Amino acid sequence: MKKIIFLLICCLLAVNVFAASSTQQIEKITQFYGERAGKRAIAWRALIKDSQHLTERQKLNATNTFFNQFVFISDKKLWNHKDYWATSYEFVGIGAGDCEDFSIAKYQALLELGINDNKLRLVYAKDLELNQFHMVVTYYPKPSAIPLVLDNLNNDILPANQRNDLLPLYSFNGSKLWLMKKKGQGQIAGKASRLSLWNDLRNRYQHIKLNQPRNIF
């Protein structure tokens, strides 16, 4: 299990790397994935533009609601790969993905909406009800607060202490990595910049590098 967790965390995405304009993003997604994907991309960029004035809690709600409309599908079925973390571009373009893809897209959207990275974490957990590994996004309104959980399996944004179905293992954001001993802050285990695939993923975001899924869902 430790090896699996380490490999997943090594895929940590970069922060603030959306260098292309919204128009460029929409055009590239449309050209690569088609007109329906282009419409999703337009809606995605409209979410970012139209939500800038909202409170942070409202931004959480808008982001969670938008992405939870997408289709859940396993990496094995979609990509014919045991584990593949799609960029937000790919997730929006395809309109489907697994829990990591939902979480990555939400995390990046919240950063674009101006929420400080120190308030956000991607949490790798064990779903005790489904008996499988799972990923969610958490938001800390204050450093010592119980975080709120954004989850593709539950549309309600609930405090972590009300999510007894999740056992957190690791959490991370754009700068730090934590070992989670309980549903709280956890213990810092290093800098996210030390993770092996950090630069590769930053390059994928910066250049909007897209891949086609192996299977049509």
Side-chain angles (χ1 to χ4, degrees):
M1 185 179 73
K2 290 183 178 179
K3 183 177 181 181
I4 294 174
I5 295 170
F6 177 77
L7 290 174
L8 287 174
I9 293 175
C10 285
C11 294
L12 180 62
L13 68 160
V15 178
N16 295 331
V17 294
F18 282 83
S21 70
S22 293
T23 300
Q24 289 173 313
Q25 294 171 29
I26 293 168
E27 289 178 350
K28 190 155 187 177
I29 289 172
T30 304
Q31 291 170 3
F32 198 81
Y33 293 111
E35 292 298 325
R36 290 181 64 186
K39 292 179 180 179
R40 283 193 296 271
I42 291 172
W44 171 43
R45 300 320 302 170
L47 166 74
I48 302 303
K49 179 181 178 181
D50 297 342
S51 301
Q52 294 291 336
H53 69 286
L54 301 178
T55 66
E56 290 195 346
R57 181 56 195 257
Q58 289 172 331
K59 290 176 180 179
L60 297 182
N61 292 335
T63 299
N64 203 53
T65 298
F66 177 80
F67 285 111
N68 278 6
Q69 300 176 77
F70 286 34
V71 177
F72 178 87
I73 187 170
S74 70
D75 286 337
K76 183 64 177 178
K77 185 174 181 180
L78 185 62
W79 299 97
N80 194 27
H81 196 285
K82 183 178 180 180
D83 187 52
Y84 180 83
W85 285 18
T87 66
S88 297
Y89 300 120
E90 292 170 319
F91 184 53
V92 171
I94 297 167
D98 66 1
C99 60
E100 291 94 347
D101 306 325
F102 279 87
S103 298
I104 289 168
K106 292 175 186 179
Y107 170 76
Q108 187 63 56
L110 293 172
L111 289 178
E112 287 198 88
L113 288 172
I115 295 182
N116 194 297
D117 192 40
N118 291 331
K119 293 184 174 183
L120 299 172
R121 294 189 194 175
L122 289 157
V123 179
Y124 185 67
K126 180 73 175 293
D127 188 311
L128 300 177
E129 293 182 355
L130 298 177
N131 192 30
Q132 65 185 32
F133 295 116
H134 187 49
M135 183 176 285
V136 296
V137 179
T138 57
Y139 164 81
Y140 290 79
K142 296 180 180 179
S144 59
I146 294 174
L148 299 174
V149 179
L150 286 71
D151 187 356
N152 64 290
L153 297 179
N154 189 332
N155 290 323
D156 295 327
I157 299 176
L158 300 174
N161 60 0
Q162 294 183 27
R163 292 299 307 273
N164 294 323
D165 54 319
L166 297 179
L167 176 64
L169 301 173
Y170 285 88
S171 68
F172 49 94
N173 61 14
S175 59
K176 295 183 178 67
L177 168 67
W178 291 265
L179 173 64
M180 305 298 289
K181 293 186 176 181
K182 58 182 179 179
K183 294 185 178 180
Q185 290 290 327
Q187 180 179 352
I188 293 178
K191 294 181 179 180
S193 60
R194 298 175 60 185
L195 301 176
S196 62
L197 295 181
W198 173 268
N199 290 331
D200 175 64
L201 285 173
R202 177 162 48 192
N203 184 65
R204 289 174 63 207
Y205 275 93
Q206 286 176 332
H207 297 93
I208 318 184
K209 183 179 179 181
L210 305 174
N211 290 310
Q212 288 282 4
R214 296 292 182 88
N215 300 302
I216 303 298
F217 67 94

